[in-house]
């Protein structure tokens, strides 16, 4: 952890909150509960972001064997543990504070299942890929809690998952340029965080209440997604008596057409039809799906 300067002196054009969504619980996977804020009917797509889920799951529920193509999934554990395995033989455990940045590319079939007796909670973000990256080979970037770089001031702490904050640069490579920051503000703290002016951005509140954009705005509490307007950064105040925790996410818009069918995201309907055919026939990236089952399903 590094101690840094307090906050930048000014923003030329601070971003304001333009829309607010309360993420309500819904069922997903096999008995899991998610609060979906991006990817629901009011907000189908926020370029380049396809889905944002805050998930809560306990055994025997979970997300058993399922495919993806054409985008990236970013899983960030808030509590508990999830076991991940795929048809390439990649097996791993994500525990509290751990990160997995998975590029599905041309195709992955995997499972994500909770481990232990408690409830496992986290965030999963789907990030779209440019058309020329949709059929690349699958890749993983994984970081344990202690490997994620942090920075702090007297009253602000940030975990720098992707991009940069307070002079600290994350080593995570983002094919679609992305910022992903986990902030905690003590009571009375004021944060001023620069954001690339050409990117779309949002905040999602995890704990506490915060004031975003302008100091006269109403406080916003947990499970709310705040879409931010244009500008070169954001001001956030914690005027409550409890800590405020939220993630701040931004990304470069792709400006490409989006065709989606469940876990498949391409650029047009013909590519979706081809993807469904590839998956059903276990070809063009899905060859190993023909004989693979996760240990969870093998044992059932």
């Amino acid at each position: 952890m590094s101690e840094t300067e307090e906050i930048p002196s000014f923003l030329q054009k601070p971003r304001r909150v333009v829309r607010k969504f309360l993420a309500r619980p819904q069922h997903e996977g096999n008995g899991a509960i998610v609060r979906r804020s991006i990817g629901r009917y009011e907000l189908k797509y926020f370029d380049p972001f396809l889905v944002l889920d805050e998930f809560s799951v306990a055994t025997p529920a979970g997300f058993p064997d399922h495919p993806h193509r054409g985008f990236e999934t970013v899983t960030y554990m808030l509590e508990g543990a999830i076991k991940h395995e795929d048809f390439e033989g990649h097996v791993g455990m994500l525990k509290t504070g751990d990160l997995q940045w998975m590029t599905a590319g041309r195709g992955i079939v995997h499972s994500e299942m909770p481990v232990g007796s408690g409830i496992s909670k986290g965030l999963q973000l789907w990030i779209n890929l440019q058309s020329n990256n949709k059929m690349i080979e699958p890749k993983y970037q994984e970081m344990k809690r202690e490997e994620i770089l942090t920075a702090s001031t007297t009253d602000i702490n940030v975990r720098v998952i992707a991009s940069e904050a307070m002079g600290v640069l994350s080593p995570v490579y983002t094919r679609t340029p992305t910022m992903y920051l986990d902030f905690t503000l003590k009571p009375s703290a004021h944060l001023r965080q620069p954001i690339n002016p050409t990117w779309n951005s949002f905040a999602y509140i995890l704990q506490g209440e915060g004031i975003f954009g302008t100091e006269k705005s109403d406080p916003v509490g947990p499970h709310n997604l705040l879409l931010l307007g244009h500008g070169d950064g954001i001001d956030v105040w914690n005027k409550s008596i409890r800590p405020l925790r939220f993630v701040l996410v931004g990304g470069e818009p792709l400006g490409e057409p989006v065709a989606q069918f469940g876990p498949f995201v391409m650029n047009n309907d013909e590519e979706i039809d081809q993807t469904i055919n590839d998956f059903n026939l276990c070809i063009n990236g899905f060859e190993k799906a023909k004989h693979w089952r996760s240990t969870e399903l093998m044992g059932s």
Side-chain angles (χ1 to χ4, degrees):
M1 178 183 296
S2 63
E3 292 287 338
T4 65
E5 296 180 0
E6 288 291 319
I7 54 176
S9 58
F10 70 96
L11 297 171
Q12 290 186 348
K13 186 181 179 182
R15 294 187 182 222
R16 298 195 176 196
V17 176
V18 294
R19 295 182 73 184
K20 180 178 75 171
F21 299 93
L22 176 63
R24 302 185 185 279
Q26 66 182 61
H27 290 279
E28 192 72 19
N30 183 14
I33 301 294
V34 305
R35 292 178 178 268
R36 179 162 296 171
S37 49
I38 300 175
R40 58 197 243 178
Y41 68 92
E42 304 101 322
L43 186 61
K44 288 290 187 182
Y45 182 52
F46 186 51
D47 193 5
F49 306 112
L50 297 153
V51 167
L52 178 65
D53 282 344
E54 180 185 1
F55 62 84
S56 178
V57 59
T59 56
F63 306 95
D65 305 10
H66 59 279
H68 293 295
R69 173 182 277 183
F71 60 99
E72 297 184 302
T73 67
V74 182
T75 304
Y76 182 44
M77 292 301 299
L78 303 174
E79 179 181 329
I82 291 283
K83 180 182 179 182
H84 172 272
E85 55 181 316
D86 70 19
F87 68 0
E88 294 285 353
H90 183 92
V91 179
M93 189 82 68
L94 297 176
K95 299 180 180 180
T96 303
D98 292 351
L99 171 76
Q100 181 192 78
W101 201 292
M102 184 187 81
T103 304
R106 67 198 303 256
I108 276 286
V109 178
H110 72 159
S111 70
E112 301 155 294
M113 301 297 290
V115 176
S117 57
I119 297 176
S120 295
K121 299 180 181 181
L123 297 175
Q124 187 167 96
L125 177 69
W126 293 12
I127 306 174
N128 201 7
L129 288 169
Q130 288 184 317
S131 55
N132 61 346
N133 284 329
K134 286 187 175 294
M135 294 297 286
I136 64 175
E137 292 297 320
K139 300 180 188 297
Y140 288 93
Q141 298 175 85
E142 294 178 325
M143 301 181 74
K144 295 298 183 183
R145 177 177 184 168
E146 60 273 15
E147 295 173 330
I148 296 176
L149 300 180
T150 64
S152 67
T153 64
T154 303
D155 50 8
I156 298 173
N157 177 267
V158 61
R159 307 188 79 221
V160 186
I161 295 167
S163 192
E164 183 177 2
M166 297 183 179
V168 175
L169 179 65
S170 168
V172 170
Y173 172 66
T174 59
R175 287 165 183 80
T176 300
T178 303
M179 174 187 73
Y180 195 143
L181 308 172
D182 176 4
F183 281 104
T184 300
L185 276 61
K186 293 180 181 178
S188 301
H190 172 210
L191 168 72
R192 180 168 288 152
Q193 172 61 36
I195 302 172
N196 189 311
T198 65
W199 290 9
N200 286 331
S201 63
F202 66 85
Y204 186 82
I205 295 88
L206 297 171
Q207 297 172 354
E209 288 187 340
I211 297 172
F212 292 77
T214 64
E215 200 167 1
K216 295 181 180 179
S217 299
D218 293 332
V220 183
H223 316 302
N224 276 289
L225 177 89
L226 306 178
L227 297 188
L228 305 179
H230 298 296
D232 61 347
I234 183 71
D235 281 303
V236 183
W237 294 265
N238 180 5
K239 295 191 176 183
S240 72
I241 61 173
R242 296 179 178 85
L244 164 67
R245 185 182 182 190
F246 66 95
V247 294
L248 181 63
V249 180
E252 182 176 58
L254 301 181
E256 296 183 346
V258 176
Q260 181 172 359
F261 183 79
F264 305 136
V265 182
M266 303 302 288
N267 293 108
N268 54 59
D269 291 340
E270 290 75 16
E271 292 173 343
I272 289 292
D273 291 341
Q274 182 63 55
T275 296
I276 294 171
N277 186 68
D278 290 347
F279 176 66
N280 289 335
L281 297 180
C282 299
I283 60 175
N284 295 330
F286 290 110
E287 288 82 356
K288 294 181 181 180
K290 186 172 185 178
H291 301 293
W292 182 81
R293 298 293 182 274
S294 65
T295 55
E296 182 76 19
L297 288 189
M298 291 287 287
S300 61

